[in-house]
Amino acid sequence: MTVRLVVRTLSELCITAGALIVLFVAYVMYWTGIQADDAVAGQLDTLQREWVAAPADPDPDPDPAPAPPARRPYAAGRGIAVMYVPRLGDDWEWPVLQGTGTGVLKKGLGHYAGTARLGATGNFSVAGHRRTYGDPFKDFPRLRPGDAVVLTDGTTWFTYRIDRAPYRTVPTDVAVIDPVPRKSGFHGPGRYLTLTTCDPEWGSSHRLIVWGHLDATQPVTAGRPQALDRP
């Protein structure tokens, strides 16, 4: 009798544990994506309304040469730009917010505090989830040298070009977002871009990195840049 009771109890516990695991997987794979879709759409809408109401300051130096220091700091948690990566899909469009905290990365991509402003001299560095919360960088390993990463702040289009295939490193390697990252192949000050995400796909033991340089800029009034066409 006692053995039968123990077996029945263990069976019930296993069934309960299995149900909880299934619910957790469903939450991670689906519910976080639904949450992200709503949050991302809200951020994109907010940015568009802000740009219509009060356009961003135009880039004082539209050529890809060193720009003067920015006059206004980015506000923590607020949207600062929209990013497009044609290699990752025609409809790949994500807001970039200031900061890389957990709450920020649930709403979009995050700009590392302390790195350069968009289009400025230095290293404009951005983090994004590989999986969960919309999977923005799920296909990160597909990025290749020459791929375009296009951003806009509502006034100017900034087209960066990736310079090397994704580089794998550990989370403590914070030098990847230095103004001139040592392993990037860059040898002096410039207007650079760094994108970071987790690796492996469903883990976080490592990071994948790509570096790029500012290739061109143009005012939004001139229309969409050709770089937005898929490669």
Side-chain angles (χ1 to χ4, degrees):
M1 191 71 175
T2 303
V3 173
R4 185 177 299 173
L5 179 61
V6 170
V7 171
R8 180 184 300 171
T9 301
L10 288 174
S11 298
E12 291 176 352
L13 289 174
C14 289
I15 292 171
T16 301
L20 290 173
I21 291 171
V22 170
L23 289 172
F24 177 74
V25 170
Y27 171 79
V28 169
M29 294 185 65
Y30 300 107
W31 182 244
T32 62
I34 293 172
Q35 290 178 311
D37 287 345
D38 290 342
V40 167
Q43 290 295 323
L44 292 172
D45 181 64
T46 297
L47 280 170
Q48 292 296 335
R49 286 189 284 105
E50 289 178 352
W51 291 342
V52 169
D57 291 337
D59 184 359
D61 180 9
D63 296 320
R71 289 172 289 180
R72 294 182 299 173
Y74 292 137
R78 298 289 300 276
I80 61 176
V82 178
M83 180 184 291
Y84 305 84
V85 184
R87 170 72 68 183
L88 302 183
D90 293 331
D91 58 350
W92 199 96
E93 177 185 21
W94 281 81
V96 180
L97 291 74
Q98 177 63 10
T100 54
T102 302
V104 169
L105 294 180
K106 291 179 179 180
K107 303 174 184 178
L109 308 177
H111 172 246
Y112 284 93
T115 67
R117 287 174 63 93
L118 178 59
T121 299
N123 187 0
F124 182 75
S125 302
V126 176
H129 281 298
R130 180 84 176 275
R131 282 292 198 172
T132 72
Y133 294 102
D135 306 337
F137 282 149
K138 176 175 67 72
D139 295 323
F140 199 93
R142 294 178 52 205
L143 296 174
R144 294 291 181 267
D147 283 351
V149 178
V150 183
L151 297 105
T152 181
D153 62 1
T155 294
T156 305
W157 289 103
F158 301 87
T159 299
Y160 291 85
R161 292 286 176 181
I162 292 175
D163 288 281
R164 58 175 291 179
Y167 165 75
R168 192 169 189 258
T169 188
V170 293
T172 54
D173 186 7
V174 296
V176 297
I177 60 172
D178 282 351
V180 184
R182 292 191 299 274
K183 297 179 181 179
S184 64
F186 304 139
H187 301 293
R191 298 167 80 175
Y192 302 130
L193 170 76
T194 297
L195 304 180
T196 76
T197 195
C198 292
D199 193 62
E201 191 169 343
W202 287 101
S204 59
S205 62
H206 288 74
R207 297 289 183 267
L208 288 180
I209 316 294
V210 294
W211 290 292
H213 67 278
L214 186 64
D215 183 60
T217 64
Q218 70 181 58
V220 168
T221 53
R224 288 164 54 91
Q226 291 184 349
L228 285 175
D229 297 333
R230 287 196 70 176

